[in-house]
Amino acid sequence: MQESAALAVLAVRAIEIEDRERHLWPEQDRAWATRAAASVVGESATTETFLARRADLVLERLGQRQ
């Protein structure tokens, strides 16, 4: 995994851990990001590819909101 992708994955993980009450990133958005990433990368993708794509989607959506 490239450094930029790893940083994005870690940033998203930090958001999801700290947003315990799901105000910033609600459960339905978390599920959407998972489904969308799986759809984009396909079933044969590596875990790293899936996580990197999911992180990109999460940060893009959060950036639009903020």
Side-chain angles (χ1 to χ4, degrees), residues 12 15-16 18-35 54 58 61-62 65-66:
V12 168
I15 291 167
E16 291 183 329
E18 289 301 315
D19 187 26
R20 291 179 190 99
E21 297 192 16
R22 301 199 172 13
H23 293 296
L24 179 65
W25 192 238
E27 196 63 44
Q28 62 268 23
D29 289 337
R30 294 168 193 235
W32 164 82
T34 299
R35 285 190 313 273
R54 185 179 184 278
V58 170
R61 172 115 359 143
L62 285 173
R65 289 182 184 168
Q66 304 299 319

